[in-house]
Amino acid sequence: MTSKILKQVTRIVTAQRKREGGGFMVRRPLPSGSVDYADPFLMLDHLGPVFYGPGEAVGAPDHPHRGFETVTYMLEGEFEHHDSHGNHGILKSGWVQWMTAGSGVIHSEMPSDKQLKEGGNFHGFQIWVNLPAKDKMIRPRYQDVPPENIPWFESSDKQTKIKVIAGEVEDITANIDTHTPIYFLDLRTTGKYSLRIPEGMDAMVYNYHPADIFIGNEKAKISESQMAVLKHQGEPVAFEAAEDAEGGKKEARVLILAGTPIKEEVARYGPFVMNTDEEINQALVDMRSGSFGSIPGSSERMRKTDEANNKRRQAGKQ
């Protein structure tokens, strides 16, 4: 008598392409037609990879947020951020920014002057993480973390490396502080590795690299731009790099997101995520009244965005 394999991959979705911000393209597996919300994760956008010529790079000029967190993870390129509380910084390759919007902020995410002037590769991610009701109106906070402060785990056979942005892997613990228990991992493997995710955490895996990967007890194949939704019941989840046409194994790369569900009502409207429609209406009133503040130089950022879009259109890149 053979035992039945308990499937861990409950759903596979393919990212949809959308134009966001000042005109850049993203691949978005969450939300999608079949997965609207993966508590506590609201959105996953894959930015690029794209090559910008000089003067072509675009970002997201001034826009509001309230009631959740945005997490930006850069693989290549540079993003410069400003906000209405006077915060400013440049995110470079390997950096992570964990921004808690809380009670409200006007935020700008633009290519750095260097990226805009020189061009070059741009590749990264932005994830939206919900906040529980008790934290939705807290003071905004930033955690800008350079790559040297983000630990890596390496398996004993040296075939798997995992960047531990949030959460922990075996004896490696992330340095980022989160409001709810969250795992955010960048796993890269040419072999096999079984990852333990705490029971009670909903989890998903997004393949952002051309190489296929097998996931779970049933070895479900996940290709580039696909996201797997997991039901693991606290059991280790297996990851295995797929063989290529020559029989070798190319490095597979995936993002792993897992979190303890907040289990509260969600009201969403654009860049606002609250618990009730009344709270959304209040956010709109507050924004329009100017209580979120503003960032000097807004018109200049819009001018740069328009010029970059015009340059790309002239080059036939739109």
Side-chain angles (χ1 to χ4, degrees):
M1 180 178 178
T2 58
S3 59
K4 185 178 180 180
I5 295 177
L6 179 65
K7 290 186 177 182
Q8 293 179 311
V9 176
T10 63
R11 192 175 300 171
I12 298 173
V13 299
T14 300
Q16 302 298 308
R17 292 186 178 270
K18 295 181 179 293
R19 194 172 296 279
E20 285 293 331
F24 56 86
M25 291 298 298
V26 303
R27 283 177 276 178
R28 180 176 294 167
L30 177 75
S32 67
S34 58
V35 183
D36 182 59
Y37 177 44
D39 196 1
F41 301 101
L42 299 154
M43 189 187 79
L44 167 57
D45 275 358
H46 182 183
L47 293 65
V50 62
F51 179 82
Y52 288 122
E56 294 179 351
V58 293
D62 306 24
H63 56 280
H65 291 300
R66 173 180 278 183
F68 64 102
E69 300 180 294
T70 68
V71 184
T72 305
Y73 174 31
M74 297 296 299
L75 294 179
E76 292 183 280
E78 294 185 355
F79 244 167
E80 183 171 7
H81 72 90
H82 293 265
D83 80 0
S84 53
H85 290 262
N87 296 297
H88 169 248
I90 296 179
L91 303 180
K92 300 181 181 182
S93 300
W95 280 64
V96 170
Q97 179 190 83
W98 203 290
M99 184 190 82
T100 303
S103 60
V105 67
I106 300 294
H107 193 216
S108 168
E109 301 156 289
M110 296 288 289
S112 69
D113 288 343
K114 180 176 182 291
Q115 178 97 51
L116 185 61
K117 180 180 179 180
E118 299 178 6
N121 293 321
F122 186 89
H123 192 192
F125 306 91
Q126 187 165 103
I127 298 151
W128 288 11
V129 183
N130 200 9
L131 285 169
K134 66 181 181 63
D135 293 330
K136 284 190 175 294
M137 295 298 288
I138 62 175
R139 182 175 175 79
R141 177 182 73 164
Y142 284 84
Q143 298 177 82
D144 286 355
V145 188
E148 59 267 26
N149 291 344
I150 303 174
W152 283 89
F153 164 83
E154 185 175 49
S155 62
S156 57
D157 63 7
K158 310 296 184 184
Q159 293 184 329
T160 301
K161 290 185 177 182
I162 304 175
K163 193 172 189 176
V164 187
I165 298 168
E168 60 185 29
V169 178
E170 297 191 22
D171 61 342
I172 304 297
T173 301
N175 293 318
I176 289 176
D177 177 49
T178 63
H179 286 275
T180 56
I182 285 172
Y183 275 45
F184 180 8
L185 311 172
D186 181 350
L187 181 148
R188 306 177 183 190
T189 186
T190 56
K192 301 178 183 179
Y193 183 75
S194 290
L195 175 70
R196 186 172 293 278
I197 301 170
E199 188 171 5
M201 281 192 171
D202 290 346
M204 52 190 177
V205 178
Y206 176 69
N207 185 349
Y208 68 87
H209 199 58
D212 293 337
I213 191 168
F214 295 109
I215 300 175
N217 292 330
E218 68 273 41
K219 292 189 175 182
K221 186 173 79 169
I222 310 300
S223 299
E224 184 179 12
S225 299
Q226 289 187 323
M227 182 184 78
V229 180
L230 305 181
K231 189 176 183 65
H232 56 88
Q233 298 179 330
E235 294 296 318
V237 178
F239 295 82
E240 182 179 351
E243 290 187 354
D244 59 24
E246 288 75 39
K249 289 190 175 183
K250 293 183 178 179
E251 184 178 68
R253 300 182 181 182
V254 296
L255 292 188
I256 301 167
L257 299 174
T260 301
I262 297 172
K263 298 181 179 178
E264 294 177 351
E265 290 295 320
V266 175
R268 301 173 65 165
Y269 182 81
F272 306 127
V273 183
M274 304 300 289
N275 296 102
T276 68
D277 290 341
E278 290 76 16
E279 290 170 335
I280 291 293
N281 291 334
Q282 187 60 52
L284 289 166
V285 169
D286 292 345
M287 180 195 68
R288 290 165 182 163
S289 71
S291 66
F292 280 27
S294 62
I295 315 171
S298 175
S299 58
E300 176 66 10
R301 285 185 289 277
M302 286 303 303
R303 183 189 66 78
K304 288 181 177 180
T305 299
D306 291 341
E307 288 181 353
N309 280 321
N310 287 334
K311 189 160 190 175
R312 293 201 342 266
R313 274 193 290 270
Q314 291 169 4
K317 295 182 179 181
Q318 286 282 61

